Amino acid sequence: MSEKVIKAALLGLGTVGNGVYKVLKIQKEEMEKKIGAVVRVEKILVRNIKKAAAKVEDPSVLTNDWKAVLEDPSIEIIIEVMGGFEPARTYILEALRAGKHVVTANKDLVASNGGELLDCAAEHQCDFLFEAAVAGGIPIIRPLKQCLAGNHIQEVIGIVNGTTNFILTKMTQEGMEFSEALALATELGYAEADPTADIRGYDAGRKMAIMASIAFNSRVTFDDVTTEGITHISAKDIRYAKELGCLIKLLGLARYTETGIEVRVQPMLISESHPLAAVNDSFNAVFVRGDAVGDTMFYGRGAGEMPTASAIVGDVFDIVRNIRFGCTGRISCTCYKELPVKKADDMESRFFLRLQVDDRPGVLASIASVLGNNDVSIAQMIQKNKDGDLAEIVVVTSKVREGNFNDAMMIIEGMSVVHKVSALIRVYGD
Amino acid sequence: MSEKVIKAALLGLGTVGNGVYKVLKIQKEEMEKKIGAVVRVEKILVRNIKKAAAKVEDPSVLTNDWKAVLEDPSIEIIIEVMGGFEPARTYILEALRAGKHVVTANKDLVASNGGELLDCAAEHQCDFLFEAAVAGGIPIIRPLKQCLAGNHIQEVIGIVNGTTNFILTKMTQEGMEFSEALALATELGYAEADPTADIRGYDAGRKMAIMASIAFNSRVTFDDVTTEGITHISAKDIRYAKELGCLIKLLGLARYTETGIEVRVQPMLISESHPLAAVNDSFNAVFVRGDAVGDTMFYGRGAGEMPTASAIVGDVFDIVRNIRFGCTGRISCTCYKELPVKKADDMESRFFLRLQVDDRPGVLASIASVLGNNDVSIAQMIQKNKDGDLAEIVVVTSKVREGNFNDAMMIIEGMSVVHKVSALIRVYGD
């Protein structure tokens, strides 16, 4: 019995590429029975063939010539794990135009150019799959596009950046300050040499753009996402949050409202009893609320060699099934709506505010009145410990329009009795 | 533009059937854009047409004649939500043989006859989907069959029965005894009039059989599953578990080992820090460990009208996509192995044991020696409060072969110094 072979090419052989190579090797024996064909890695595009040679069984698969991959008609599946915008974007478009199916883990590219790539795939009846681009090994794209397709998704909340979740977990559980926790994350390999994209929320923002697009069937790009990082969060804020029964997490929030989609990434206080509060260390989770299914959550490893490879190989196997059944392009772009995305000022949030103020009568009242004048309802207002001549005031607001809150803050920051706004953090929930 | 209509029939219009009817109605407007066709419920098979008439817009779709459904060639999808073995099994087989695709939520039937039904579907190139049969609205079948297909699954742990999880949550959080918590569950509608299948672990066992079959690519039926219920769990055991940093949950455990598959449902102590420990009330969750993906968890509503309907409609939409692309039967039975299923005696477990014994020197030593003689290692042994002339001993064992432990217990139960075995509960983990 001759086995059916489907040839694939890997673009890139870094951590993730290496993981894919390994998983395909481990699965080799079972593939035929599982999906009706064997996936063979025919070519691997690398920059430095010598350096890559040690990583593969047969170095003759290595090439640094994209054209040799593109123009090999026997290669049906391209697995793009180079990352970055270019040349990844061009390679993917060229591959799709040549009738090759593409799997990618490239969240930057999908978050900015997903529409372009999906349109190109649809035009050529090719599959373009990117389960690995969001939350690593956690199945979330397929569940959203298929399993939960009978829902109007109302909200997607994600802890989708392992670096920041590790940092915040250390700050919470061990009382570390941000800089100390970041240093530890770097030492342990959880943070990259340049951690900017993680700690500023950009990485999470890209994943939220992709999930929002699928959840609400309307294209959202990274530019639409309001992002705020965690560099200003202090151990003190985390202690105060705890007093309120909350933790601080960097949450990606995508919400459907009648007046538009809200998509943002911000550190937020979240109740200790929420399922997301138990998501610690470098784990990721995505919480989805749908009109039929209610609350669901998907939890797991959001990054790393093998978890990311798990997602990629799942996509590759799906393409093999589609090729065998002649139904490639079966699920393409699902953005058939054009919903407006709200500006930051028009979103609604609750706020946790910590102020250092003059310790004298009337100060609390005057701050309360500024908030009230700007339609900011106060849920809680606590005078905390004194610090010399200063008192500390903690305010938790009800849900308010962000624009109104910002107007109030402009005035509060200018008040002579207010010495410092020590913290301003959003609170998840109603 | 004429819209493409795909006709479906509902078998049954109980809670779940009603949910499916509602969700299809809610999704009506978007279906065409989402999946390229509109699903129309052409017929609904009910026992009592008069009673059902109030539930539907157009009572002319109601029928009590199965042949009228089966022999209507325009009906392409059958949604079986009657439950039970017969006539559901016969109807599904007849539908598949007639070339109709089938979606079911019938865990009893799939757990016992899944192989037969999937084979029949494959023979006729039909889809037979049952996402709703396990853990209600939580996407788990598709993630296992597709997203995680690049893994060797090592373990699936499920909290997959909402009734027992509700009862154990009340016992844990409010110190209720079993009977009290069961009464509350019945009052609130979380337990059926006859709760046997839930509280004895049969319902969870059926779901575990289905998941084990998919996770390990080898058919497991309900008869293969070792089940134990929660009727003997006391509030005192839960308090003792807490002292050990654990909760008690009814866990479904499916585990791959070199010598065979273990599949069982048993109440177990589980560490408070395990993600499953935070799954409370009637929520369900499935924890999956794979060689590539590592630990993942899927959380949500395991039952109920709308969550179950969410899963069913997801399956229906998938079939519509398959019909449009001519690829029905694309993912069929994935049980291509024939792995042995271990007998209970050959499984390995840790045990929590609570004994009432004579309060005099040497008793503890003699019990320890019986355990030792049977190769049962003791991880912890604590003499608890006295109760008159009796002392209470709590033993936690290391992982042992269940047969050896049972042998030891036979002897211990016969010892004159042992007055009562008050509790014997497994402990999850190594």
Side-chain angles (χ1 to χ4, degrees), chain B residues 2-59:
Chain B
S2 79
E3 57 177 17
K4 176 153 174 66
V5 173
I6 289 181
K7 293 183 185 170
L10 266 174
L11 311 189
L13 195 61
T15 306
V16 175
N18 207 36
V20 173
Y21 184 84
K22 278 193 213 167
V23 172
L24 287 174
K25 200 170 139 190
I26 295 168
Q27 288 289 321
K28 199 176 165 188
E29 269 180 50
E30 291 198 23
M31 273 187 215
E32 175 102 45
K33 287 179 213 145
K34 199 178 265 180
I35 53 171
V38 173
V39 178
R40 187 191 298 161
V41 177
E42 185 72 5
K43 287 201 165 64
I44 303 178
L45 183 70
V46 293
R47 248 181 261 169
N48 187 330
I49 292 180
K50 257 194 196 153
K51 220 176 109 190
K55 295 186 185 175
V56 292
E57 279 181 339
D58 171 14

Side-chain angles (χ1 to χ4, degrees), chain A residues 249-322:
Chain A
K249 294 280 185 192
L250 182 66
L251 297 184
L253 202 64
R255 191 183 274 160
Y256 176 88
T257 80
E258 288 297 323
T259 50
I261 302 173
E262 283 182 25
V263 193
R264 44 171 152 169
V265 173
Q266 289 157 341
M268 293 192 194
L269 279 75
I270 184 167
S271 165
E272 284 172 345
S273 66
H274 193 283
L276 283 171
V279 178
N280 286 320
D281 300 317
S282 64
F283 276 95
N284 281 19
V286 180
F287 189 92
V288 180
R289 177 170 294 148
D291 64 345
V293 78
D295 291 348
T296 58
M297 191 173 77
F298 305 81
Y299 167 96
R301 289 271 171 214
E305 180 187 26
M306 298 300 274
T308 310
S310 164
I312 289 173
V313 172
D315 279 352
V316 170
F317 284 6
D318 229 23
I319 292 175
V320 169
R321 284 163 164 157
N322 286 347

Side-chain angles (χ1 to χ4, degrees), chain A residues 23 27 30 34 145-146 149-152 292 295-297 299-300 306-307 310 318 321-322 327 330 336-337, chain B residues 23 27 30 34 145-146 149-152 292 295-297 299 306-307 310 318 321-322 327 330 336-337:
Chain A
V23 171
Q27 288 288 320
E30 291 197 26
K34 198 178 267 179
K145 282 201 173 190
Q146 296 182 249
N151 287 264
H152 285 112
D295 291 348
T296 58
M297 191 173 77
Y299 167 96
M306 298 300 274
S310 164
D318 229 23
R321 284 163 164 157
N322 286 347
C327 59
R330 182 175 161 276
Y336 49 80
K337 296 182 188 172
Chain B
V23 172
Q27 288 289 321
E30 291 198 23
K34 199 178 265 180
K145 283 201 172 191
Q146 296 183 248
N151 288 263
H152 285 112
D295 292 346
T296 57
M297 191 174 78
Y299 167 97
M306 298 301 273
S310 163
D318 230 21
R321 284 164 164 155
N322 286 347
C327 60
R330 180 175 163 277
Y336 50 80
K337 294 182 190 173

Side-chain angles (χ1 to χ4, degrees), chain B residues 302-319:
Chain B
E305 180 186 26
M306 298 301 273
T308 310
S310 163
I312 290 173
V313 172
D315 279 352
V316 170
F317 283 6
D318 230 21
I319 293 175

Side-chain angles (χ1 to χ4, degrees), chain A residues 55-285:
Chain A
K55 294 186 187 174
V56 292
E57 280 181 338
D58 171 13
S60 77
V61 300
L62 298 169
T63 178
N64 52 21
D65 177 10
W66 162 242
K67 289 284 169 216
V69 178
L70 180 65
E71 288 166 7
D72 181 339
S74 76
I75 293 173
E76 294 186 77
I77 303 174
I78 298 290
I79 304 165
E80 187 275 304
V81 282
M82 316 157 58
F85 287 96
E86 286 294 355
R89 176 181 157 273
T90 301
Y91 288 1
I92 291 174
L93 288 170
E94 288 180 353
L96 292 169
R97 285 180 199 132
K100 300 183 193 301
H101 311 287
V102 175
V103 176
T104 182
N106 195 326
K107 58 188 162 293
D108 302 31
L109 189 56
V110 177
S112 61
N113 293 64
E116 177 189 28
L117 301 171
L118 281 161
D119 285 349
C120 183
E123 196 185 321
H124 298 87
Q125 286 165 52
C126 286
D127 280 324
F128 176 68
L129 302 181
F130 47 88
E131 182 67 77
V134 178
I138 307 173
I140 185 65
I141 304 294
R142 207 170 268 99
L144 281 174
K145 282 201 173 190
Q146 296 182 249
C147 308
L148 302 178
N151 287 264
H152 285 112
I153 303 295
Q154 295 153 336
E155 194 169 52
V156 177
I157 325 171
I159 294 180
V160 285
N161 180 270
T163 309
T164 47
N165 202 43
F166 176 85
I167 290 171
L168 290 171
T169 301
K170 288 291 156 193
M171 292 175 72
T172 302
Q173 294 180 349
E174 299 175 26
M176 289 183 186
E177 285 296 346
F178 171 77
S179 55
E180 197 185 347
L182 172 60
L184 179 65
T186 309
E187 192 189 319
L188 296 175
Y190 288 131
E192 295 180 52
D194 176 2
T196 311
D198 292 321
I199 62 177
R200 299 241 171 242
Y202 305 154
D203 173 80
R206 293 188 175 106
K207 294 165 182 167
M208 292 311 299
I210 297 172
M211 286 197 285
S213 300
I214 297 169
F216 307 129
N217 302 110
S218 183
R219 179 66 50 199
V220 175
T221 66
F222 176 55
D223 292 339
D224 296 320
V225 185
T226 302
T227 56
E228 179 185 312
I230 62 163
T231 52
H232 59 91
I233 302 296
S234 70
K236 190 170 190 180
D237 294 321
I238 290 177
R239 284 199 302 278
Y240 279 8
K242 205 178 170 79
E243 286 177 27
L244 299 166
C246 291
L247 297 168
I248 297 179
K249 294 280 185 192
L250 182 66
L251 297 184
L253 202 64
R255 191 183 274 160
Y256 176 88
T257 80
E258 288 297 323
T259 50
I261 302 173
E262 283 182 25
V263 193
R264 44 171 152 169
V265 173
Q266 289 157 341
M268 293 192 194
L269 279 75
I270 184 167
S271 165
E272 284 172 345
S273 66
H274 193 283
L276 283 171
V279 178
N280 286 320
D281 300 317
S282 64
F283 276 95
N284 281 19

Side-chain angles (χ1 to χ4, degrees), chain A residues 339-352:
Chain A
L339 300 174
V341 179
K342 281 195 189 178
K343 300 224 176 312
D345 268 0
D346 293 327
M347 297 181 188
E348 292 201 321
S349 300
R350 296 180 65 204
F351 288 91
F352 165 92

Side-chain angles (χ1 to χ4, degrees), chain B residues 125-410:
Chain B
Q125 287 166 50
C126 286
D127 280 325
F128 175 67
L129 303 181
F130 47 89
E131 183 69 75
V134 178
I138 307 174
I140 185 64
I141 304 295
R142 206 169 270 100
L144 281 174
K145 283 201 172 191
Q146 296 183 248
C147 308
L148 302 177
N151 288 263
H152 285 112
I153 303 296
Q154 296 155 333
E155 196 170 50
V156 178
I157 324 171
I159 294 178
V160 285
N161 180 269
T163 309
T164 47
N165 202 43
F166 176 85
I167 291 171
L168 290 171
T169 301
K170 288 292 155 193
M171 291 175 71
T172 304
Q173 293 180 350
E174 297 174 27
M176 289 184 187
E177 285 297 346
F178 172 78
S179 56
E180 196 186 346
L182 173 61
L184 180 64
T186 310
E187 191 191 319
L188 296 176
Y190 289 129
E192 295 181 51
D194 176 1
T196 311
D198 292 321
I199 63 178
R200 300 244 171 240
Y202 306 153
D203 173 81
R206 294 190 175 106
K207 294 165 182 165
M208 292 312 298
I210 299 171
M211 285 197 286
S213 301
I214 298 168
F216 308 129
N217 302 111
S218 183
R219 180 63 51 197
V220 175
T221 66
F222 177 54
D223 292 338
D224 297 321
V225 185
T226 302
T227 56
E228 180 185 311
I230 62 162
T231 52
H232 58 92
I233 302 295
S234 70
K236 191 171 190 180
D237 294 322
I238 290 177
R239 284 199 302 277
Y240 279 9
K242 205 180 169 81
E243 286 178 27
L244 299 166
C246 291
L247 298 168
I248 297 178
K249 293 282 185 190
L250 183 66
L251 297 185
L253 202 64
R255 191 183 273 160
Y256 175 88
T257 80
E258 288 298 322
T259 51
I261 302 173
E262 284 181 24
V263 194
R264 43 170 151 171
V265 173
Q266 289 157 341
M268 293 192 193
L269 278 75
I270 185 168
S271 164
E272 284 173 346
S273 65
H274 193 284
L276 283 171
V279 178
N280 286 322
D281 301 317
S282 64
F283 275 96
N284 280 19
V286 180
F287 189 91
V288 180
R289 177 171 293 147
D291 64 344
V293 77
D295 292 346
T296 57
M297 191 174 78
F298 305 81
Y299 167 97
R301 291 270 171 214
E305 180 186 26
M306 298 301 273
T308 310
S310 163
I312 290 173
V313 172
D315 279 352
V316 170
F317 283 6
D318 230 21
I319 293 175
V320 170
R321 284 164 164 155
N322 286 347
I323 291 174
R324 284 187 51 237
F325 280 83
C327 60
T328 56
R330 180 175 163 277
I331 300 183
S332 179
C333 184
T334 47
C335 293
Y336 50 80
K337 294 182 190 173
E338 283 187 29
L339 301 174
V341 179
K342 281 197 190 176
K343 300 225 176 310
D345 268 1
D346 293 327
M347 297 182 187
E348 294 200 320
S349 300
R350 295 180 66 202
F351 289 90
F352 165 93
L353 181 62
R354 192 155 61 82
L355 302 170
Q356 314 304 126
V357 299
D358 277 351
D359 184 22
R360 57 184 164 84
V363 170
L364 205 138
S366 62
I367 290 168
S369 108
V370 173
L371 292 169
N373 291 340
N374 285 279
D375 283 334
V376 177
S377 295
I378 297 166
Q380 230 174 326
M381 193 161 187
I382 312 158
Q383 166 116 18
K384 306 291 291 190
N385 313 332
K386 291 177 195 179
D387 176 12
D389 288 342
L390 299 182
E392 186 165 57
I393 292 178
V394 169
V395 182
V396 180
T397 75
S398 300
K399 216 170 201 178
V400 297
R401 193 180 155 273
E402 293 227 344
N404 294 13
F405 184 80
N406 292 339
D407 292 345
M409 285 309 294
M410 287 274 284

